[in-house]
Each structure stands twice: as structure tokens, then as C-alpha cells.
Amino acid sequence: MGEIRKVICPKCKAKLAFDPDKLSSAVTKFSCPNCKTALSIRKTGSETAVYSSPAKDPMKNRAGNGLNELAGCSGKQGLKEQDLSGAGKTGGESFAGQDDDRAGRTNSREFKRVRFKKKVLVNKQIMVEALDISRSGLFLHTGRSFEDGAVIEVGIPTRPGNFDLTVRAMVRHNHRGIGMGMMFVDMDDTTVMQLEKLIDELGDTATNDLAGRKKVLLTGGTTTTRNINKSKLVLDGFYVQLATTTDEIFEILERETVDVMVLDWQDTEYNCKEVLTKIWETPAYEKIIRVVLSVFTDSGVQQEIMDAGAHRCMARMDTNPAKLSLTLSQLIAARDG
């Protein structure tokens, strides 16, 4: 047996161990035993790399590839670990159905996303509600569940009572009980033109719609957590944007008048304390309400967070989407009171 190596699933952070000698090909596809995300291992010489790669059959090649779920275990000493915690995160105006695709697809931030609270028809039989849409995908609010990587048919209404625009879409993020982020696939030129026309028309009405909606900037945490929180906030009438790095945070703040920010104290993609301090010290941002989620909420940590410029510190594990939405509404009402 060769030297055992360990990698981390970019979605659920489960630790996976594998024996490089058991990889039968240059690229081996498998499914994360914990969250079922379709992944691939690419073997180049003596090195290996793991990346998200949704496939038609995410369970294909799972057997015999030497992978074991080690979630919750520290593993053997000396294991080589490749931390992929940054993979698959979204930023800027990307919506819940998309992420940074390591396989070379166009980044979702190039596409305009608009609100699309309409009923759509899935596989010609299931009626579900969409929340937003872009040239590259849409987010469906539904308790029904499809596996990541599954391709479904979506009927989209371009006029009332008629699902006249039919597209195929792949499940990129399945948040069970909340909804699914979808990426359009296999679109011909005619479908693309119809979709772009619809988005342009929606964009014209969305500008007026945004005037009365409070704007929330969600930062940090896992992709899944951000998307679940976003889904609830959008349903409650907020306009939501996502950011994962310091640069993305301040790019959005420069072009948007944000009402409230939600930050993660332990996030590794940016320094929460430094971001809070910069916002607190910038007069242009003084009206932004700053809410910080933290793993630890003992008195010492809370004091440090408040001293850094937060208005509220909340325990991450005790803050579900409904509680977060209610808290943001209350803080905005108190500010505008």
C-alpha cells in the first residue's frame, strides 16, 4: 500500500483519505460520502488534486478508489492534507445557483442576476417557485430534493400562464428543505436569446422594485450557509448580495448603499476584525448595521467583537435563517425608528 493521503471536501469539509496507488486513471470521479457532492481526483505524476466536478452519475467510480470518510477524526500523524476550503465559494453578485467553477466555466459574476419570484415547471409535473435568475442559472425555492449533478428540465414562463421557455439545468447546490441552485446546460442560440430577453425585461422592473427593499451583504461562512440564509432573506423581502473576500466586500460597499452586513468572526477568507474596524472608521459607512456571527460568544469574545465595531454578536450555531432575518429587520427598524 502506498502512502495514505488526506483531502477535504470543499462543500461539507469532510476529511477523505485515499491511497494514490489505487487510483486507476489520471482522473477519478467519486461522490463525497458525507454530502454527496460530485468530486474528482486528478493525478499528475506524484501529485494529486481534488476538485468539484458534477457528473451525470456522481456515484460512478466511487467503488474501488480507496476513499474513506474520516469526518470528525483527526487521522494518522504524517498524513498529507490538501485544504480546499476555499473552493466553490461565491462572491460579488453571484447567486445561489452558481460558484467559481474550477473546470473552466465562465465565472457567474459576469452575468446579471435579477429577482424572479415566479412559478416554474420542473420535469413537466412539479410546480415550484423560483427566486432569481441569470443568463447562467436560477435558484428554486422548494422542499423537493434532487442530487447534486442531476440534470432536470425547467419550464419558465415568459408570459402569464404559459411555460413557453424550456431549459435544461444542472443542480449545483441542493439545500435540503430550502431549495436548489441550478446551472443552465445545453442551451442553443434561440434559447439563449429568449433567456436574455426575459432577463432584460425583468431588469427594467427590478430597478423600481429595489427602491423599497433593504439591502443585506452576507459575508463569510460556508457556501451552503450563505445560500440558505440568502434564500430566507430574499423570501422576506431583502435584497441580498454575497462576498467572501475583503476586496469583494469593499467593491460592493463602494457601489451599493448597504443597510446591514453579516460577517463571520472566524472566517479565514478575510480578517473580520480588520474589516469591522475599517468600516467603523469610515464616515461613509457609519449607517451600516454590522452583525457578527461567531462560534464562541463568551463575554470576552463578545466584548472584542463589539469593540471592533459590531452592533450585534450572535452565536452561529443558534442563529437559524428565520432568527437572522427577524434580527436584521428589528435592527433596521430601530435604526430608522
Side-chain angles (χ1 to χ4, degrees), residues 14-298:
K15 295 180 181 179
L16 309 171
F18 69 96
D19 182 352
D21 291 341
K22 292 186 178 181
L23 299 180
S24 58
S25 59
V27 178
T28 302
K29 297 178 181 179
F30 64 99
S31 177
C32 172
N34 187 42
C35 67
K36 307 304 180 185
T37 297
L39 303 170
S40 296
I41 286 184
R42 182 183 296 279
K43 185 176 181 181
T44 306
S46 62
E47 300 298 323
T48 57
V50 174
Y51 54 91
S52 299
S53 179
K56 291 183 179 180
D57 181 8
M59 300 300 291
K60 187 177 181 180
N61 293 333
R62 180 179 175 184
N65 58 17
L67 286 153
N68 306 295
E69 182 183 7
L70 295 179
C73 303
S74 59
K76 299 179 181 179
Q77 289 185 343
L79 291 182
K80 294 183 178 180
E81 179 170 332
Q82 180 181 7
D83 187 350
L84 300 176
S85 59
K89 290 192 175 183
T90 61
E93 293 184 340
S94 58
F95 72 105
Q98 298 173 272
D99 58 17
D100 173 33
D101 195 329
R102 304 297 170 126
R105 295 186 181 90
T106 304
N107 191 293
S108 63
R109 280 176 283 178
E110 296 181 8
F111 300 115
K112 178 172 66 175
R113 174 182 57 84
V114 294
R115 194 183 190 199
F116 186 60
K117 293 192 70 172
K118 302 283 187 180
K119 296 291 186 182
V120 299
L121 190 62
V122 173
N123 289 341
K124 294 185 173 66
Q125 58 183 350
I126 307 171
M127 195 86 73
V128 300
E129 184 175 29
L131 290 184
D132 54 29
I133 190 169
S134 81
R135 158 65 176 78
S136 54
L138 78 167
F139 188 85
L140 303 181
H141 177 65
T142 174
R144 292 180 178 270
S145 184
F146 292 85
E147 294 296 329
D148 288 351
V151 176
I152 64 177
E153 182 182 284
V154 182
I156 300 173
T158 63
R159 53 183 182 271
N162 191 346
F163 301 101
D164 52 310
L165 176 56
T166 301
V167 296
R168 287 167 55 81
M170 177 185 291
V171 179
R172 294 303 304 276
H173 302 287
N174 177 18
H175 313 301
R176 297 182 184 276
I178 300 293
M180 299 182 295
M182 313 295 300
M183 183 181 73
F184 296 137
V185 296
D186 303 330
M187 292 195 298
D188 57 29
D189 291 341
T190 300
T191 302
V192 170
M193 291 178 62
Q194 288 179 283
L195 186 60
E196 291 179 343
K197 181 176 182 294
L198 172 63
I199 291 171
D200 287 340
E201 292 172 351
L202 291 169
D204 292 338
T205 59
T207 301
N208 294 329
D209 179 54
L210 287 178
R213 298 168 66 193
K214 299 301 182 182
K215 296 180 180 179
V216 177
L217 175 56
L218 288 178
T219 73
T222 65
T223 300
T224 299
T225 299
R226 284 195 308 275
N227 289 333
I228 292 175
N229 285 332
K230 178 200 163 189
S231 298
K232 174 59 176 172
L233 292 171
V234 169
L235 285 173
D236 288 349
F238 289 100
Y239 172 67
V240 182
Q241 290 193 298
L242 308 176
T244 59
T245 68
T246 299
D247 288 343
E248 289 174 352
I249 290 170
F250 287 100
E251 284 174 6
I252 292 174
L253 292 180
E254 286 178 6
R255 68 173 185 264
E256 299 279 0
T257 302
V258 174
D259 291 284
V260 58
M261 289 182 62
V262 179
L263 303 103
D264 191 298
W265 189 248
Q266 281 84 22
D267 196 81
T268 58
E269 293 296 316
Y270 64 87
N271 187 308
C272 186
K273 186 174 183 178
E274 291 181 359
V275 170
L276 279 172
T277 301
K278 183 174 180 179
I279 292 172
W280 191 17
E281 295 176 348
T282 304
Y285 303 145
E286 63 181 356
K287 291 186 178 181
I288 298 176
I289 298 167
R290 301 172 294 275
V291 175
V292 175
L293 303 179
S294 175
V295 173
F296 307 106
T297 55
D298 58 80

Side-chain angles (χ1 to χ4, degrees), residues 320-332:
N320 59 33
K323 182 177 180 180
L324 179 64
S325 180
L326 177 60
T327 299
L328 300 190
S329 296
Q330 292 173 338
L331 291 172
I332 292 172

